[in-house]
Protein backbone atom coordinates (compact mmCIF):
# COMPACT_ATOMS: atom_id res chain seq x y z
CA UNK A 1 0.00 0.00 0.00
CA UNK A 2 1.26 3.48 -0.91
CA UNK A 3 2.18 5.55 2.15
CA UNK A 4 0.18 8.50 3.36
CA UNK A 5 0.93 12.12 2.52
CA UNK A 6 0.01 14.59 5.28
CA UNK A 7 0.67 18.32 5.03
CA UNK A 8 0.58 20.91 7.80
CA UNK A 9 -0.45 24.46 7.10
CA UNK A 10 -1.06 27.64 9.07
CA UNK A 11 0.24 31.12 9.67
CA UNK A 12 3.46 32.26 11.32
CA UNK A 13 3.90 30.78 14.81
CA UNK A 14 1.00 28.37 14.50
CA UNK A 15 3.13 25.58 15.99
CA UNK A 16 3.37 23.34 12.94
CA UNK A 17 6.91 22.09 13.47
CA UNK A 18 6.31 21.28 17.17
CA UNK A 19 3.14 19.40 16.28
CA UNK A 20 4.83 17.53 13.44
CA UNK A 21 7.51 16.30 15.86
CA UNK A 22 4.83 15.20 18.35
CA UNK A 23 2.85 13.38 15.66
CA UNK A 24 5.96 11.68 14.29
CA UNK A 25 6.79 10.35 17.78
CA UNK A 26 3.21 9.09 18.17
CA UNK A 27 3.23 7.31 14.80
CA UNK A 28 6.70 5.82 15.34
CA UNK A 29 5.56 4.45 18.69
CA UNK A 30 2.99 2.46 16.68
CA UNK A 31 5.84 1.02 14.60
CA UNK A 32 5.15 3.16 11.54
CA UNK A 33 7.82 4.57 9.26
CA UNK A 34 7.72 8.36 9.12
CA UNK A 35 9.50 10.90 6.92
CA UNK A 36 9.48 14.52 8.08
CA UNK A 37 10.10 17.29 5.59
CA UNK A 38 9.37 20.96 5.01
CA UNK A 39 8.81 23.60 2.35
CA UNK A 40 10.36 25.51 0.87
CA UNK A 41 13.13 22.93 0.97
CA UNK A 42 13.37 19.20 1.57
CA UNK A 43 15.80 18.39 -1.26
CA UNK A 44 19.18 19.97 -2.06
CA UNK A 45 17.86 21.98 -5.04
CA UNK A 46 14.80 23.13 -3.10
CA UNK A 47 16.93 24.14 -0.08
CA UNK A 48 19.02 26.34 -2.38
CA UNK A 49 15.85 28.00 -3.69
CA UNK A 50 14.63 28.38 -0.08
CA UNK A 51 17.63 30.54 0.66
CA UNK A 52 16.94 32.79 -2.34
CA UNK A 53 13.28 33.25 -1.40
CA UNK A 54 13.52 33.72 2.37
CA UNK A 55 16.45 36.12 2.16
CA UNK A 56 14.10 38.40 0.20
CA UNK A 57 16.32 38.38 -2.93
CA UNK A 58 13.33 37.53 -5.14
CA UNK A 59 10.84 39.85 -3.44
CA UNK A 60 11.22 42.58 -6.05
CA UNK A 61 10.19 40.18 -8.78
CA UNK A 62 6.66 40.13 -7.28
CA UNK A 63 4.46 37.30 -5.94
CA UNK A 64 3.92 35.53 -9.28
CA UNK A 65 7.64 35.07 -9.89
CA UNK A 66 8.15 34.07 -6.28
CA UNK A 67 5.43 31.47 -6.89
CA UNK A 68 7.42 30.18 -9.87
CA UNK A 69 10.42 29.69 -7.56
CA UNK A 70 8.28 27.91 -4.95
CA UNK A 71 6.89 25.68 -7.72
CA UNK A 72 10.37 24.79 -8.97
CA UNK A 73 11.46 23.93 -5.43
CA UNK A 74 8.29 21.87 -4.95
CA UNK A 75 8.74 19.89 -8.18
CA UNK A 76 12.26 18.90 -7.05
CA UNK A 77 11.08 18.06 -3.55
CA UNK A 78 8.18 15.91 -4.81
CA UNK A 79 10.36 13.99 -7.28
CA UNK A 80 13.41 13.43 -5.07
CA UNK A 81 11.96 13.02 -1.59
CA UNK A 82 8.17 12.82 -1.25
CA UNK A 83 7.35 10.33 -4.03
CA UNK A 84 10.14 7.88 -3.15
CA UNK A 85 9.14 7.99 0.55
CA UNK A 86 5.48 7.28 -0.29
CA UNK A 87 6.53 4.45 -2.60
CA UNK A 88 8.43 2.91 0.33
CA UNK A 89 5.17 3.06 2.28
CA UNK A 90 6.18 5.89 4.64
CA UNK A 91 3.89 8.39 6.24
CA UNK A 92 5.22 11.72 4.99
CA UNK A 93 4.69 14.75 7.24
CA UNK A 94 5.36 17.94 5.33
CA UNK A 95 5.59 21.38 6.97
CA UNK A 96 3.74 23.54 4.38
CA UNK A 97 2.97 22.55 0.79
CA UNK A 98 0.82 23.84 -2.11
CA UNK A 99 -1.78 25.57 0.10
CA UNK A 100 0.94 27.96 1.28
CA UNK A 101 1.47 29.11 -2.33
CA UNK A 102 -2.28 29.64 -2.74
CA UNK A 103 -2.37 31.67 0.47
CA UNK A 104 0.93 33.58 0.45
CA UNK A 105 1.55 34.23 -3.26
CA UNK A 106 -2.07 34.35 -4.50
CA UNK A 107 -3.90 36.10 -1.68
CA UNK A 108 -5.26 38.81 -3.96
CA UNK A 109 -8.30 37.45 -5.88
CA UNK A 110 -7.43 39.74 -8.80
CA UNK A 111 -4.28 37.68 -9.51
CA UNK A 112 -4.01 35.28 -12.42
CA UNK A 113 -5.71 32.08 -11.19
CA UNK A 114 -4.71 30.21 -14.33
CA UNK A 115 -1.06 30.74 -13.48
CA UNK A 116 -1.65 29.37 -9.97
CA UNK A 117 -3.46 26.32 -11.36
CA UNK A 118 -0.76 25.64 -13.95
CA UNK A 119 2.06 25.98 -11.46
CA UNK A 120 0.26 23.73 -9.01
CA UNK A 121 -0.36 21.07 -11.64
CA UNK A 122 3.23 21.15 -12.85
CA UNK A 123 4.81 21.08 -9.38
CA UNK A 124 2.59 18.37 -7.88
CA UNK A 125 2.29 16.12 -10.94
CA UNK A 126 -0.85 14.63 -9.42
CA UNK A 127 0.48 14.22 -5.91
CA UNK A 128 -2.11 15.99 -3.76
CA UNK A 129 -1.96 15.45 0.02
CA UNK A 130 -4.18 12.73 1.48
CA UNK A 131 -4.78 14.92 4.51
CA UNK A 132 -4.01 18.54 5.38
CA UNK A 133 -4.01 19.73 8.97
CA UNK A 134 -4.53 23.48 9.19
CA UNK A 135 -3.44 24.80 12.57
CA UNK A 136 -5.42 27.94 13.26
CA UNK A 137 -4.23 30.56 15.76
CA UNK A 138 -5.15 34.24 16.16
CA UNK A 139 -2.66 36.39 14.27
CA UNK A 140 -1.48 38.21 17.43
CA UNK A 141 -0.70 34.92 19.19
CA UNK A 142 1.14 33.58 16.14
CA UNK A 143 3.21 36.75 15.74
CA UNK A 144 4.20 36.73 19.41
CA UNK A 145 5.27 33.09 19.22
CA UNK A 146 7.22 33.69 15.99
CA UNK A 147 9.02 36.69 17.53
CA UNK A 148 9.93 34.65 20.62
CA UNK A 149 11.24 31.79 18.46
CA UNK A 150 13.29 34.23 16.34
CA UNK A 151 15.06 35.83 19.30
CA UNK A 152 17.69 38.23 17.93
CA UNK A 153 17.38 37.07 14.32
CA UNK A 154 15.58 39.58 12.08
CA UNK A 155 12.18 38.66 10.59
CA UNK A 156 12.33 36.83 7.23
CA UNK A 157 10.63 37.81 3.98
CA UNK A 158 7.12 36.80 5.13
CA UNK A 159 7.31 37.17 8.93
CA UNK A 160 7.66 40.93 8.46
CA UNK A 161 4.27 41.32 6.72
CA UNK A 162 1.72 43.34 8.69
CA UNK A 163 -1.18 42.03 10.79
CA UNK A 164 -3.84 42.78 8.14
CA UNK A 165 -1.98 40.66 5.58
CA UNK A 166 -1.54 37.89 8.13
CA UNK A 167 -5.23 37.97 9.01
CA UNK A 168 -6.02 37.74 5.27
CA UNK A 169 -3.85 34.61 5.09
CA UNK A 170 -5.56 33.10 8.11
CA UNK A 171 -8.96 33.58 6.46
CA UNK A 172 -7.63 32.17 3.18
CA UNK A 173 -6.51 28.96 4.94
CA UNK A 174 -9.94 28.65 6.56
CA UNK A 175 -11.59 29.09 3.15
CA UNK A 176 -9.48 26.29 1.65
CA UNK A 177 -10.61 24.05 4.52
CA UNK A 178 -14.25 24.97 3.90
CA UNK A 179 -13.89 24.35 0.15
CA UNK A 180 -12.11 20.99 0.56
CA UNK A 181 -13.54 19.36 3.69
CA UNK A 182 -12.50 15.84 2.61
CA UNK A 183 -8.83 16.76 2.52
CA UNK A 184 -8.56 19.47 5.18
CA UNK A 185 -9.12 19.54 8.93
CA UNK A 186 -8.81 22.73 10.98
CA UNK A 187 -7.34 22.35 14.47
CA UNK A 188 -7.44 25.13 17.05
CA UNK A 189 -3.77 25.82 17.80
CA UNK A 190 -4.52 28.30 20.56
CA UNK A 191 -4.67 25.51 23.16
CA UNK A 192 -2.04 23.78 25.30
CA UNK A 193 0.53 21.93 23.19
CA UNK A 194 -0.38 18.44 24.46
CA UNK A 195 -4.09 18.99 23.87
CA UNK A 196 -3.44 20.04 20.26
CA UNK A 197 -1.10 17.05 19.81
CA UNK A 198 -3.74 14.61 21.07
CA UNK A 199 -6.34 16.06 18.77
CA UNK A 200 -4.05 15.76 15.74
CA UNK A 201 -3.03 12.20 16.69
CA UNK A 202 -6.71 11.19 16.91
CA UNK A 203 -7.50 12.72 13.49
CA UNK A 204 -4.54 10.96 11.87
CA UNK A 205 -5.24 7.60 13.58
CA UNK A 206 -8.83 7.73 12.28
CA UNK A 207 -7.69 8.57 8.79
CA UNK A 208 -5.10 5.77 8.69
CA UNK A 209 -7.67 3.29 9.96
CA UNK A 210 -10.15 4.36 7.27
CA UNK A 211 -7.47 3.94 4.60
CA UNK A 212 -6.65 0.46 5.92
CA UNK A 213 -10.30 -0.58 5.62
CA UNK A 214 -10.47 0.90 2.13
CA UNK A 215 -7.38 -1.08 1.10
CA UNK A 216 -8.82 -4.31 2.56
CA UNK A 217 -12.08 -3.64 0.68
CA UNK A 218 -10.18 -3.13 -2.57
CA UNK A 219 -8.12 -6.28 -2.25
CA UNK A 220 -11.32 -8.20 -1.41
CA UNK A 221 -13.06 -7.04 -4.61
CA UNK A 222 -9.91 -7.77 -6.67
CA UNK A 223 -9.76 -11.23 -5.07
CA UNK A 224 -13.36 -11.81 -6.11
CA UNK A 225 -12.52 -10.84 -9.69
CA UNK A 226 -14.63 -7.67 -9.48
P1 LIG B 1 9.76 28.96 7.55
O1 LIG B 1 10.93 29.55 8.24
O2 LIG B 1 9.85 27.52 7.18
O3 LIG B 1 8.48 29.38 8.34
P2 LIG B 1 7.25 28.61 9.02
O4 LIG B 1 7.80 28.02 10.28
O5 LIG B 1 6.27 29.70 9.22
O6 LIG B 1 6.76 27.56 8.03
O7 LIG B 1 9.53 29.84 6.24
C1 LIG B 1 8.67 29.51 5.25
C2 LIG B 1 8.03 30.79 4.77
O8 LIG B 1 7.73 30.68 3.38
C3 LIG B 1 6.71 31.08 5.47
O9 LIG B 1 6.65 32.43 5.86
C4 LIG B 1 5.66 30.84 4.42
C5 LIG B 1 6.38 31.03 3.13
N1 LIG B 1 5.89 30.21 2.03
C6 LIG B 1 5.27 30.83 0.95
O10 LIG B 1 5.14 32.04 0.93
N2 LIG B 1 4.81 30.06 -0.10
C7 LIG B 1 4.97 28.71 -0.13
O11 LIG B 1 4.54 28.04 -1.10
C8 LIG B 1 5.62 28.08 1.00
C9 LIG B 1 5.82 26.60 1.01
C10 LIG B 1 6.07 28.87 2.04
Amino acid sequence: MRGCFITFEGGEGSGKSTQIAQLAAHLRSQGRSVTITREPGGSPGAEAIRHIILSGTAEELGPEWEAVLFAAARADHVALLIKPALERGDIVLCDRFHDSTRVYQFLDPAQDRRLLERLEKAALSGLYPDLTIIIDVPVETGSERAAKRRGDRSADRFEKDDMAVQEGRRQAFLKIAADEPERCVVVNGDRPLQEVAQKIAAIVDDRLEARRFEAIGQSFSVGNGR
Side-chain angles (χ1 to χ4, degrees):
M1 185 174 142
R2 171 188 172 276
C4 185
F5 183 27
I6 304 176
T7 58
F8 282 72
E9 300 279 2
E12 310 299 323
S14 53
K16 293 177 282 88
S17 41
T18 309
Q19 291 301 335
I20 287 173
Q22 295 275 322
L23 178 63
H26 168 76
L27 293 170
R28 284 177 179 139
S29 76
Q30 298 172 337
R32 298 184 195 270
S33 219
V34 179
T35 293
I36 297 180
T37 188
R38 65 159 182 192
E39 288 214 345
S43 60
E47 288 290 336
I49 297 175
R50 175 186 175 90
H51 177 71
I52 297 171
I53 299 172
L54 295 188
S55 65
T57 311
E59 187 174 356
E60 276 184 26
L61 299 173
E64 278 88 359
W65 286 106
E66 276 186 316
V68 171
L69 290 173
F70 276 111
R74 184 159 302 135
D76 194 55
H77 185 207
V78 165
L80 295 185
L81 190 136
I82 300 176
K83 270 198 175 148
L86 291 172
E87 276 159 17
R88 286 197 303 271
D90 279 15
I91 298 176
V92 176
L93 306 181
C94 187
D95 191 340
R96 296 194 184 280
F97 196 61
H98 71 305
D99 294 311
S100 281
T101 300
R102 294 181 181 179
V103 165
Y104 281 73
Q105 279 66 55
F106 287 87
L107 190 59
D108 181 352
Q111 279 171 280
D112 183 354
R113 297 282 119 185
R114 274 188 323 168
L115 175 64
L116 169 63
E117 282 158 23
R118 283 188 188 167
L119 287 175
E120 199 168 291
K121 211 169 161 196
L124 272 61
S125 52
L127 194 90
Y128 281 85
D130 297 300
L131 173 66
T132 296
I133 309 266
I134 296 174
I135 306 186
D136 182 51
V137 292
V139 165
E140 297 75 24
T141 314
S143 295
E144 274 166 31
R145 286 188 192 164
K148 213 182 249 174
R149 180 183 62 183
R150 247 188 344 260
D152 293 338
R153 181 177 65 79
S154 54
D156 73 26
R157 157 78 186 86
F158 300 101
E159 285 167 342
K160 66 181 170 50
D161 287 330
D162 68 30
M163 292 291 189
V165 173
Q166 301 208 30
E167 181 58 35
R169 289 176 187 151
R170 182 185 183 198
Q171 296 308 325
F173 276 126
L174 294 176
K175 174 150 187 348
I176 290 173
D179 289 347
E180 296 182 55
E182 301 241 310
R183 172 173 71 87
C184 303
V185 182
V186 178
V187 172
N188 179 6
D190 196 15
R191 303 288 309 155
L193 189 155
Q194 281 310 327
E195 188 183 318
V196 179
Q198 276 166 14
K199 188 139 213 188
I200 293 174
I203 292 166
V204 171
D205 285 347
D206 278 357
R207 193 58 74 105
L208 293 175
E209 193 61 6
R211 279 167 59 89
R212 200 169 67 86
F213 276 116
E214 236 169 66
I216 292 170
Q218 270 166 16
S219 62
F220 183 72
S221 47
V222 169
N224 280 318
R226 275 187 267 144

